Amino acid sequence: MTVHIGLVEDDTNIQNIVSAYLKKEGYQTTILDNAEDGWKLWENNPPDMWILDIMLPGMDGYEFCKKIRNESDVPIIIISAKDEEIDKILGLELGGDDYLTKPFSPRELIARVKRLFKRSTSGRQDDIEEDRVKVDQLLVYKNERRVFFEGDEFETTSKEYDMLLLLAENPNRAFSREELLMKIWGNDYFGSDRAVDDLIKRIRKKMGNIPLETVWGFGYRLRKDEE
């Protein structure tokens, strides 16, 4: 997939040099002279990254950066002739991910673009992996509290969800009934451990083929087939 970068810069010379280097690296580049046109682009065809000058006609780069950041966490690199520390701090506090002072090497800019994309893509992937738990045909999305088995979504009660998540995060581990009571119902539960058996029974009834095994005389485990 082609990565789209929006370049907001009113200096024609910098436009030509930066866009040439970006295109050489395979990035699709849209050049804009002002932040107002940049905002129109954001609304109609939002880029995957912004390279943004600060001193622009009309809306300045700081305000544009702030508006974009209120909408998205898309990466933003600020390029500016303002080299005072306070200017850099302001740019970063308003949401910029990196700040490059003019004059700069186009190669350094490309290196920062690549590094920022790698970091943001890795972060998104980490978030995705952290959110989901998959054991063979069972898939649990933690942030949404949704459960899928064999491609179908199943409605679950709070306790059913908690049990499935616990077992899915610990595949092949045998839990005793006492452990499950403590982890699912809490330390202050004084009922019978039959509650565990009843809950497992309900889950099995909903998801007929789920590999939820009884460990006789002990408790339960979710079997994960070894590859």
Side-chain angles (χ1 to χ4, degrees):
M1 183 181 72
T2 303
V3 173
H4 180 201
I5 296 179
L7 171 62
V8 187
E9 168 62 65
D10 63 341
D11 185 311
T12 305
N13 187 45
I14 294 177
Q15 287 178 358
N16 294 335
I17 293 173
V18 170
S19 63
Y21 272 82
L22 290 171
K23 289 174 183 176
K24 184 179 179 182
E25 294 295 327
Y27 298 117
Q28 176 192 344
T29 308
T30 300
I31 302 171
L32 305 134
D33 295 311
N34 58 78
E36 286 79 7
D37 287 343
W39 187 251
K40 291 177 185 176
L41 177 67
W42 175 253
E43 293 180 319
N44 296 304
N45 182 25
D48 302 298
M49 174 183 281
W50 289 99
I51 298 175
L52 173 64
D53 187 21
I54 291 300
M55 293 182 286
L56 295 166
M59 185 194 310
D60 67 18
Y62 289 135
E63 182 62 26
F64 182 72
C65 180
K66 184 179 178 180
K67 286 187 66 165
I68 292 293
R69 189 53 74 231
N70 286 337
E71 298 264 332
S72 169
D73 61 355
V74 62
I76 299 173
I77 297 179
I78 295 173
I79 53 174
S80 177
K82 293 187 173 184
D83 60 356
E84 295 294 326
E85 184 177 10
I86 187 64
D87 297 311
K88 296 179 183 179
I89 291 172
L90 180 58
L92 296 173
E93 285 184 343
L94 288 175
D97 296 284
D98 204 347
Y99 193 107
L100 195 57
T101 303
K102 298 177 183 179
F104 57 84
S105 162
R107 289 189 178 87
E108 181 181 359
L109 175 61
I110 294 299
R112 295 193 185 202
V113 167
K114 290 180 177 179
R115 183 183 65 192
L116 196 52
F117 265 129
K118 183 176 180 180
R119 191 176 73 196
S120 66
T121 303
S122 173
R124 285 197 298 271
Q125 187 62 34
D126 288 346
D127 289 343
I128 292 170
E129 292 302 322
E130 189 175 323
D131 172 51
R132 50 178 262 170
V133 180
K134 190 173 188 304
V135 179
D136 297 330
Q137 296 298 311
L138 177 66
L139 178 60
V140 181
Y141 287 99
K142 294 192 286 187
N143 289 341
E144 300 176 6
R145 292 182 69 87
R146 298 172 71 191
V147 177
F148 294 80
F149 181 63
E150 295 183 333
D152 295 322
E153 183 171 7
F154 288 83
E155 293 294 328
T156 58
T157 66
S158 179
K159 290 287 190 293
E160 288 168 354
Y161 172 84
D162 292 343
M163 177 70 78
L164 286 166
L165 178 60
L166 174 65
L167 295 174
E169 289 184 323
N170 298 274
N172 293 328
R173 176 185 164 185
F175 285 91
S176 70
R177 287 178 175 82
E178 291 75 17
E179 278 184 287
L180 293 173
L181 269 179
M182 184 181 69
K183 291 180 179 294
I184 305 301
W185 279 265
N187 293 327
D188 55 352
Y189 179 76
F190 294 105
S192 164
D193 62 7
R194 288 291 303 173
V196 175
D197 298 332
D198 292 340
L199 184 60
I200 295 293
K201 188 183 297 182
R202 292 202 303 271
I203 293 172
R204 284 172 170 165
K205 187 175 180 180
K206 283 186 179 181
M207 307 175 190
N209 296 322
I210 189 169
L212 213 171
E213 297 181 337
T214 300
V215 181
W216 296 107
F218 184 74
Y220 298 94
R221 68 171 166 239
L222 181 69
R223 189 188 72 247
K224 176 178 172 59
D225 292 334
E226 299 297 333
E227 297 181 1

